[in-house]
Amino acid sequence: MEKRKKFITNVIFYAIIGSIAIGIYKYILPVTAPFIVAFILAALIQLPVRKWGGVSLKRKKAFAVLLCGSFYTAFFLSVTFAGLKLLEGAGNIIASAPVIYSERIVPALEKLVNHLETAAAPLDACMSQKIESDFQTISQGMGKYISEFSVKAVEWISTEAVAFPGFVIKIVITIVATFFMAADFDRIIAFFKKLIPEEKQELVKNGGNYIKNILFLFLKSYSILFLLTFTELSVGFLIIGIPYAFLCAFAIALFDILPALGTGGILVPWALILFVMGDTALAIEMLVLETTVTVIRNIVEPKIVGRQIGLHPLAALISMYVGLKTFGIIGMFCFPVMAVIAVNFEKNGIKSFSCPYTTV
């Protein structure tokens, strides 16, 4: 009976926590997002400030402001350059999609259908006619879909451009808030400390440090893996002559970082399509590249990531899916990280996730 009461209490407790989290995401986060981002950036800037900023308060503030300016200048120059290149490549791919379909995919599919008709003709003449009829229907439907996709993609870009001024305002608010928070970070932290009961401050501090260490290790490890995968794919695509090699490598490396997914989710279907299209040599080269990337990843990942932030693929997939359905793209990335933190809390005997009403 006591166990049943504890179970029911835990379910109610976590349901309340989940409801609060969903409410915060839907109603509070959109309003406070610029300030949350600004606070995170200001906290990161404090690392070099505390190391090289000296002891003078004025010098620390000046150094923090200088670092903010340098960071945003470098960030926007990099984003502008990369964005222009990505837009150019994506625009060319979208515009050329109908041509690629009509000139390369359709002939390859016709060739495949001819083989099927030849193989089916001795068995049943009606089957051969059925294959040809179905192919014509599918081909026309795919051609129409690809043409409409190109048009809709351009329309979507135009629609998003209308919302750009609001996005710019959020960026400006984030930048200004980052400067203020970085300059007065210690005062802001002192204010929040006053809101926490004195007997709980040590627990909050230890828990915060633990989470920071896990997050830092997580981000550092997967940043290295992302750069490694991007470099391997870029070199491989350049060698085998894939157009827009860096753009394709960047997109696939991002896909590879997602929990429970990998480069094979794109490269293997790509190779199969190339086989169907008759480009056997390029398909084999694509599979060799996928094998190389996978082997290197399996050798390097345990050494870089380590067991301490490991997560079972099924748990990663479930947390990613639940996060996507509950909180969208943000949840898809955050939920696996939260799962990793929870697992490490449990491994290290930290019961921060236990219901406070069931503790003795």
Side-chain angles (χ1 to χ4, degrees):
M1 189 66 181
E2 186 65 26
K3 289 183 178 179
R4 188 176 299 175
K5 284 183 179 180
K6 288 184 179 181
F7 174 76
I8 294 173
T9 305
N10 277 323
V11 169
I12 295 173
F13 173 74
Y14 288 122
I16 293 172
I17 294 297
S19 301
I20 293 173
I22 293 174
I24 291 173
Y25 173 77
K26 288 187 175 180
Y27 302 107
I28 298 178
L29 186 61
V31 179
T32 59
F35 303 100
I36 294 173
V37 173
F39 181 80
I40 293 172
L41 293 174
L44 293 174
I45 287 172
Q46 293 309 304
L47 298 175
V49 168
R50 287 171 179 168
K51 189 171 184 179
W52 298 302
V55 294
S56 171
L57 183 60
K58 289 184 178 180
R59 184 177 174 181
K60 281 185 175 181
K61 286 187 175 183
F63 190 49
V65 171
L66 178 63
L67 286 177
C68 284
S70 302
F71 167 76
Y72 277 116
T73 301
F75 176 77
F76 282 112
L77 286 176
S78 302
V79 168
T80 301
F81 177 77
L84 291 174
K85 291 294 182 182
L86 288 172
L87 286 175
E88 180 185 357
N92 291 335
I93 291 174
I94 291 172
S96 60
V99 177
I100 294 173
Y101 174 74
S102 60
E103 293 184 357
R104 299 194 64 185
I105 297 179
V106 171
L109 290 175
E110 288 177 345
K111 184 177 179 181
L112 177 63
V113 169
N114 289 334
H115 285 305
L116 292 175
E117 289 178 350
T118 303
L123 301 175
D124 190 348
C126 294
M127 185 182 294
S128 178
Q129 294 176 359
K130 177 65 174 173
I131 292 173
E132 183 176 0
S133 175
D134 289 345
F135 169 72
Q136 294 295 333
T137 303
I138 294 172
S139 178
Q140 291 174 3
M142 288 180 63
K144 182 180 178 181
Y145 174 79
I146 291 175
S147 299
E148 290 177 353
F149 169 77
S150 298
V151 175
K152 288 180 179 179
V154 174
E155 291 177 353
W156 179 81
I157 292 173
S158 302
T159 304
E160 291 298 316
V162 175
F164 188 70
F167 178 72
V168 171
I169 292 174
K170 290 182 179 179
I171 292 294
V172 171
I173 292 174
T174 303
I175 293 172
V176 175
T178 305
F179 277 95
F180 282 117
M181 289 183 180
D184 292 320
F185 189 80
D186 291 335
R187 292 176 62 185
I188 294 172
I189 294 299
F191 170 77
F192 283 111
K193 278 185 177 179
K194 291 179 181 178
L195 302 178
I196 302 172
E198 188 173 347
E199 64 273 11
K200 298 291 184 181
Q201 287 186 6
E202 189 67 24
L203 177 63
V204 172
K205 181 181 178 181
N206 292 337
N209 289 335
Y210 190 80
I211 292 174
K212 277 195 299 185
N213 291 335
I214 291 294
L215 287 176
F216 176 75
L217 184 60
F218 194 97
L219 293 174
K220 178 183 176 182
S221 301
Y222 282 98
S223 295
I224 294 172
L225 289 175
F226 170 79
L227 292 174
L228 178 63
T229 303
F230 172 73
T231 303
E232 292 170 350
L233 292 173
S234 298
V235 172
F237 287 158
L238 289 173
I239 291 174
I240 63 180
I242 299 295
Y244 306 108
F246 293 108
L247 175 61
C248 293
F250 182 82
I252 297 174
L254 277 181
F255 182 83
D256 181 61
I257 286 298
L258 296 177
L261 302 176
T263 56
I266 294 180
L267 293 184
V268 172
W270 192 349
L272 293 176
I273 292 172
L274 291 171
F275 270 121
V276 172
M277 294 173 63
D279 199 341
T280 306
L282 185 57
I284 293 174
E285 291 173 339
M286 195 70 67
L287 291 176
V288 169
L289 177 60
E290 158 61 14
T291 303
T292 303
V293 172
T294 302
V295 169
I296 294 176
R297 173 79 177 237
N298 290 335
I299 294 173
V300 172
E301 184 171 9
K303 297 179 180 179
I304 294 178
V305 179
R307 293 181 179 273
Q308 64 272 27
I309 62 172
L311 194 64
H312 192 279
L314 180 59
L317 185 61
I318 292 173
S319 61
M320 182 179 66
Y321 181 77
V322 173
L324 178 64
K325 288 296 182 180
T326 310
F327 297 104
I329 295 295
I330 295 176
M332 185 174 69
F333 284 97
C334 291
F335 266 50
V337 177
M338 292 169 60
V340 169
I341 293 173
V343 168
N344 280 273
F345 273 173
E346 185 65 28
K347 284 181 180 178
N348 288 273
I350 301 175
K351 305 300 182 181
S352 299
F353 288 91
S354 298
C355 175
Y357 304 106
T358 61
T359 57
V360 178

